[in-house]
Short mmCIF file of all heavy atoms in Angstrom, two decimals:
data_model
loop_
_atom_site.label_atom_id
_atom_site.label_comp_id
_atom_site.label_asym_id
_atom_site.label_seq_id
_atom_site.Cartn_x
_atom_site.Cartn_y
_atom_site.Cartn_z
N MET Q 27 -3.93 31.03 26.92
CA MET Q 27 -5.07 30.37 26.28
C MET Q 27 -4.98 30.37 24.76
O MET Q 27 -5.38 29.42 24.11
CB MET Q 27 -6.36 31.05 26.74
CG MET Q 27 -6.79 30.61 28.11
SD MET Q 27 -7.97 31.73 28.82
CE MET Q 27 -9.45 31.29 27.97
N THR Q 41 -4.92 14.81 13.54
CA THR Q 41 -5.75 13.61 13.62
C THR Q 41 -6.57 13.42 12.35
O THR Q 41 -6.75 12.30 11.87
CB THR Q 41 -6.68 13.69 14.84
OG1 THR Q 41 -5.89 14.05 15.96
CG2 THR Q 41 -7.35 12.38 15.11
N ASP Q 69 -11.77 5.23 -0.67
CA ASP Q 69 -12.69 4.87 0.41
C ASP Q 69 -13.38 6.14 0.90
O ASP Q 69 -12.73 7.04 1.41
CB ASP Q 69 -11.89 4.20 1.53
CG ASP Q 69 -12.79 3.65 2.60
OD1 ASP Q 69 -14.00 3.93 2.55
OD2 ASP Q 69 -12.28 2.94 3.49
N LEU Q 71 -15.53 6.59 3.36
CA LEU Q 71 -15.89 6.69 4.78
C LEU Q 71 -14.95 7.59 5.58
O LEU Q 71 -15.41 8.50 6.29
CB LEU Q 71 -15.99 5.31 5.41
CG LEU Q 71 -16.63 5.38 6.78
CD1 LEU Q 71 -18.14 5.34 6.69
CD2 LEU Q 71 -16.14 4.27 7.68
N LEU Q 75 -15.78 10.90 7.88
CA LEU Q 75 -15.38 11.07 9.27
C LEU Q 75 -14.60 12.37 9.44
O LEU Q 75 -14.83 13.15 10.38
CB LEU Q 75 -14.52 9.90 9.75
CG LEU Q 75 -15.08 8.48 9.66
CD1 LEU Q 75 -14.18 7.51 10.40
CD2 LEU Q 75 -16.47 8.41 10.23
N ILE Q 82 -16.66 19.74 13.93
CA ILE Q 82 -16.61 19.78 15.40
C ILE Q 82 -15.46 20.67 15.87
O ILE Q 82 -15.62 21.50 16.75
CB ILE Q 82 -16.47 18.35 15.96
CG1 ILE Q 82 -17.77 17.58 15.71
CG2 ILE Q 82 -16.16 18.37 17.44
CD1 ILE Q 82 -17.69 16.13 15.98
N ARG Q 96 -13.60 36.76 26.20
CA ARG Q 96 -14.27 37.07 27.46
C ARG Q 96 -13.24 37.21 28.60
O ARG Q 96 -13.34 38.12 29.42
CB ARG Q 96 -15.24 35.92 27.77
CG ARG Q 96 -16.05 36.11 29.01
CD ARG Q 96 -17.21 37.03 28.79
NE ARG Q 96 -17.92 37.22 30.05
CZ ARG Q 96 -18.77 38.20 30.30
NH1 ARG Q 96 -19.03 39.08 29.36
NH2 ARG Q 96 -19.36 38.30 31.45
N LYS Q 107 -4.99 31.00 35.41
CA LYS Q 107 -4.54 31.11 36.80
C LYS Q 107 -4.74 29.78 37.54
O LYS Q 107 -5.53 28.94 37.11
CB LYS Q 107 -5.37 32.19 37.52
CG LYS Q 107 -5.30 33.56 36.86
CD LYS Q 107 -4.17 34.36 37.46
CE LYS Q 107 -4.16 35.79 36.97
NZ LYS Q 107 -4.50 36.04 35.58
N ASP Q 109 -6.16 27.40 40.55
CA ASP Q 109 -7.44 27.38 41.23
C ASP Q 109 -7.28 27.90 42.66
O ASP Q 109 -6.44 27.42 43.42
CB ASP Q 109 -7.93 25.92 41.26
CG ASP Q 109 -9.37 25.85 41.73
OD1 ASP Q 109 -9.94 26.90 42.02
OD2 ASP Q 109 -9.90 24.73 41.78
N GLU Q 111 -9.23 27.72 45.25
CA GLU Q 111 -9.61 26.75 46.29
C GLU Q 111 -8.50 25.71 46.48
O GLU Q 111 -8.23 25.28 47.59
CB GLU Q 111 -10.93 26.10 45.89
CG GLU Q 111 -11.67 25.36 46.98
CD GLU Q 111 -12.19 26.27 48.08
OE1 GLU Q 111 -12.55 27.43 47.77
OE2 GLU Q 111 -12.23 25.83 49.22
N ASP Q 112 -7.84 25.36 45.37
CA ASP Q 112 -6.72 24.43 45.42
C ASP Q 112 -5.59 24.98 46.29
O ASP Q 112 -5.04 24.29 47.12
CB ASP Q 112 -6.17 24.21 44.01
CG ASP Q 112 -6.53 22.86 43.47
OD1 ASP Q 112 -7.21 22.11 44.19
OD2 ASP Q 112 -6.12 22.55 42.34
N VAL Q 115 -6.46 24.78 49.96
CA VAL Q 115 -6.30 23.45 50.55
C VAL Q 115 -4.82 23.14 50.74
O VAL Q 115 -4.41 22.56 51.74
CB VAL Q 115 -6.99 22.38 49.67
CG1 VAL Q 115 -6.66 20.99 50.17
CG2 VAL Q 115 -8.48 22.60 49.68
N LYS Q 118 -3.35 24.78 53.77
CA LYS Q 118 -4.06 24.52 55.01
C LYS Q 118 -3.13 23.83 56.02
O LYS Q 118 -2.42 22.88 55.66
CB LYS Q 118 -5.24 23.58 54.69
CG LYS Q 118 -6.40 23.69 55.62
CD LYS Q 118 -7.54 22.88 55.01
CE LYS Q 118 -8.41 22.30 56.06
NZ LYS Q 118 -9.41 21.40 55.50
N GLU Q 124 -10.46 22.24 65.87
CA GLU Q 124 -11.72 21.63 66.23
C GLU Q 124 -11.66 20.11 66.22
O GLU Q 124 -12.27 19.43 67.04
CB GLU Q 124 -12.82 22.10 65.29
CG GLU Q 124 -14.18 21.67 65.77
CD GLU Q 124 -15.28 22.22 64.90
OE1 GLU Q 124 -15.14 23.35 64.45
OE2 GLU Q 124 -16.26 21.51 64.68
N GLU Q 125 -10.87 19.59 65.26
CA GLU Q 125 -10.88 18.14 65.11
C GLU Q 125 -9.75 17.47 65.87
O GLU Q 125 -9.86 16.30 66.24
CB GLU Q 125 -10.76 17.78 63.63
CG GLU Q 125 -12.07 17.98 62.92
CD GLU Q 125 -11.93 17.78 61.43
OE1 GLU Q 125 -10.83 17.43 60.98
OE2 GLU Q 125 -12.92 18.01 60.72
N THR Q 165 -26.11 37.89 70.77
CA THR Q 165 -27.32 38.24 70.04
C THR Q 165 -27.38 39.74 69.82
O THR Q 165 -27.62 40.22 68.71
CB THR Q 165 -28.56 37.82 70.84
OG1 THR Q 165 -28.34 36.54 71.36
CG2 THR Q 165 -29.77 37.88 69.99
N SER Q 172 -26.13 43.89 62.24
CA SER Q 172 -27.03 43.90 61.09
C SER Q 172 -27.72 45.25 60.95
O SER Q 172 -27.94 45.72 59.84
CB SER Q 172 -28.04 42.76 61.20
OG SER Q 172 -28.55 42.73 62.49
N PHE S 136 -18.14 5.57 15.74
CA PHE S 136 -18.11 6.96 15.33
C PHE S 136 -19.36 7.69 15.81
O PHE S 136 -19.29 8.86 16.20
CB PHE S 136 -17.95 7.11 13.82
CG PHE S 136 -17.49 8.49 13.44
CD1 PHE S 136 -16.18 8.85 13.65
CD2 PHE S 136 -18.37 9.43 12.95
CE1 PHE S 136 -15.75 10.13 13.36
CE2 PHE S 136 -17.95 10.71 12.66
CZ PHE S 136 -16.63 11.06 12.85
N GLU S 143 -19.32 14.24 21.41
CA GLU S 143 -19.04 15.62 21.01
C GLU S 143 -20.25 16.52 21.25
O GLU S 143 -20.11 17.66 21.68
CB GLU S 143 -18.62 15.68 19.55
CG GLU S 143 -17.18 15.26 19.31
CD GLU S 143 -16.19 16.03 20.17
OE1 GLU S 143 -16.36 17.24 20.36
OE2 GLU S 143 -15.23 15.40 20.66
N ALA S 157 -20.43 33.85 32.12
CA ALA S 157 -18.99 33.71 32.38
C ALA S 157 -18.44 34.85 33.23
O ALA S 157 -18.48 36.00 32.84
CB ALA S 157 -18.25 33.64 31.06
N ILE S 162 -14.51 31.23 33.74
CA ILE S 162 -13.65 31.17 32.56
C ILE S 162 -12.47 30.27 32.85
O ILE S 162 -12.09 29.40 32.07
CB ILE S 162 -13.13 32.58 32.20
CG1 ILE S 162 -14.26 33.46 31.72
CG2 ILE S 162 -12.02 32.50 31.18
CD1 ILE S 162 -14.59 33.31 30.28
N ARG S 163 -11.89 30.45 34.05
CA ARG S 163 -10.71 29.69 34.41
C ARG S 163 -11.00 28.18 34.43
O ARG S 163 -10.34 27.38 33.79
CB ARG S 163 -10.21 30.13 35.79
CG ARG S 163 -8.78 29.76 36.09
CD ARG S 163 -8.56 29.64 37.57
NE ARG S 163 -9.37 28.56 38.10
CZ ARG S 163 -9.07 27.28 37.97
NH1 ARG S 163 -7.97 26.96 37.35
NH2 ARG S 163 -9.86 26.35 38.45
N THR S 166 -12.00 26.77 31.00
CA THR S 166 -10.89 26.52 30.09
C THR S 166 -10.25 25.17 30.38
O THR S 166 -10.00 24.39 29.46
CB THR S 166 -9.83 27.62 30.24
OG1 THR S 166 -10.47 28.87 30.19
CG2 THR S 166 -8.81 27.53 29.14
N VAL S 170 -10.22 22.25 27.54
CA VAL S 170 -8.96 21.73 26.99
C VAL S 170 -8.83 20.23 27.25
O VAL S 170 -8.53 19.45 26.34
CB VAL S 170 -7.76 22.50 27.59
CG1 VAL S 170 -6.46 21.84 27.19
CG2 VAL S 170 -7.78 23.94 27.13
N ILE S 177 -9.70 14.11 21.03
CA ILE S 177 -8.69 13.88 19.99
C ILE S 177 -8.13 12.46 20.12
O ILE S 177 -7.95 11.76 19.12
CB ILE S 177 -7.57 14.93 20.09
CG1 ILE S 177 -8.10 16.30 19.68
CG2 ILE S 177 -6.40 14.55 19.19
CD1 ILE S 177 -7.14 17.43 19.91
N TYR S 187 -9.99 2.03 12.26
CA TYR S 187 -10.45 1.94 10.87
C TYR S 187 -9.31 1.49 9.97
O TYR S 187 -9.51 0.68 9.05
CB TYR S 187 -11.02 3.28 10.40
CG TYR S 187 -11.70 3.13 9.07
CD1 TYR S 187 -12.97 2.58 9.00
CD2 TYR S 187 -11.07 3.50 7.89
CE1 TYR S 187 -13.59 2.40 7.78
CE2 TYR S 187 -11.68 3.33 6.67
CZ TYR S 187 -12.95 2.77 6.61
OH TYR S 187 -13.56 2.58 5.42
N ASP S 236 -11.62 20.59 39.70
CA ASP S 236 -11.29 21.97 39.37
C ASP S 236 -12.40 22.64 38.61
O ASP S 236 -12.58 23.85 38.70
CB ASP S 236 -10.03 22.00 38.50
CG ASP S 236 -8.81 22.37 39.31
OD1 ASP S 236 -8.93 22.37 40.54
OD2 ASP S 236 -7.77 22.65 38.72
N ALA S 295 -9.91 16.49 52.52
CA ALA S 295 -9.16 17.72 52.73
C ALA S 295 -9.94 18.97 52.37
O ALA S 295 -9.52 20.08 52.66
CB ALA S 295 -7.88 17.68 51.89
N GLN S 296 -11.14 18.80 51.77
CA GLN S 296 -11.82 19.98 51.22
C GLN S 296 -12.65 20.74 52.25
O GLN S 296 -13.21 20.13 53.16
CB GLN S 296 -12.75 19.58 50.07
CG GLN S 296 -12.06 18.86 48.96
CD GLN S 296 -10.91 19.65 48.39
OE1 GLN S 296 -11.02 20.85 48.18
NE2 GLN S 296 -9.79 18.99 48.16
N ARG S 301 -16.87 20.91 46.25
CA ARG S 301 -15.60 20.27 45.86
C ARG S 301 -15.46 18.91 46.53
O ARG S 301 -15.00 17.95 45.92
CB ARG S 301 -14.42 21.16 46.27
CG ARG S 301 -14.16 22.29 45.30
CD ARG S 301 -13.01 23.13 45.79
NE ARG S 301 -11.77 22.41 45.76
CZ ARG S 301 -10.93 22.39 44.73
NH1 ARG S 301 -11.24 23.05 43.64
NH2 ARG S 301 -9.82 21.73 44.78
N ARG S 430 -18.70 14.52 58.61
CA ARG S 430 -17.94 15.71 59.04
C ARG S 430 -18.69 16.96 58.59
O ARG S 430 -18.85 17.92 59.34
CB ARG S 430 -16.56 15.66 58.41
CG ARG S 430 -15.46 16.20 59.28
CD ARG S 430 -14.14 16.00 58.59
NE ARG S 430 -14.17 16.60 57.26
CZ ARG S 430 -13.45 17.65 56.91
NH1 ARG S 430 -12.64 18.20 57.75
NH2 ARG S 430 -13.53 18.15 55.68
N ARG S 438 -23.26 21.78 64.78
CA ARG S 438 -22.67 22.79 65.66
C ARG S 438 -23.41 24.12 65.50
O ARG S 438 -24.13 24.34 64.52
CB ARG S 438 -21.20 22.98 65.32
CG ARG S 438 -20.99 23.67 64.00
CD ARG S 438 -19.57 24.06 63.78
NE ARG S 438 -19.42 24.53 62.40
CZ ARG S 438 -18.26 24.77 61.85
NH1 ARG S 438 -17.15 24.60 62.52
NH2 ARG S 438 -18.19 25.20 60.61
N ARG S 452 -27.92 35.21 61.75
CA ARG S 452 -29.25 35.76 62.05
C ARG S 452 -30.29 34.68 62.06
O ARG S 452 -31.14 34.62 62.94
CB ARG S 452 -29.63 36.79 60.99
CG ARG S 452 -29.00 38.12 61.28
CD ARG S 452 -29.50 39.08 60.24
NE ARG S 452 -28.41 39.98 59.89
CZ ARG S 452 -28.25 40.49 58.70
NH1 ARG S 452 -29.07 40.18 57.73
NH2 ARG S 452 -27.27 41.31 58.47
N HIS S 455 -30.11 32.65 65.12
CA HIS S 455 -30.61 33.39 66.27
C HIS S 455 -32.13 33.37 66.31
O HIS S 455 -32.74 33.14 67.34
CB HIS S 455 -30.10 34.83 66.23
CG HIS S 455 -30.77 35.70 67.25
ND1 HIS S 455 -31.87 36.45 66.94
CD2 HIS S 455 -30.53 35.86 68.56
CE1 HIS S 455 -32.27 37.07 68.04
NE2 HIS S 455 -31.46 36.73 69.04
#
Side-chain angles (χ1 to χ4, degrees):
Chain Q
M27 281 163 77
T41 310
D69 187 351
L71 192 85
L75 302 190
I82 291 169
R96 182 80 182 163
K107 303 269 187 322
D109 190 359
E111 196 66 32
D112 253 1
V115 172
K118 207 171 149 186
E124 189 176 322
E125 283 173 4
T165 316
S172 46
Chain S
F136 198 76
E143 282 306 321
I162 291 276
R163 199 206 64 76
T166 311
V170 172
I177 291 173
Y187 189 77
D236 259 12
Q296 302 304 317
R301 279 179 67 91
R430 216 176 55 113
R438 71 170 171 189
R452 278 184 217 147
H455 170 266

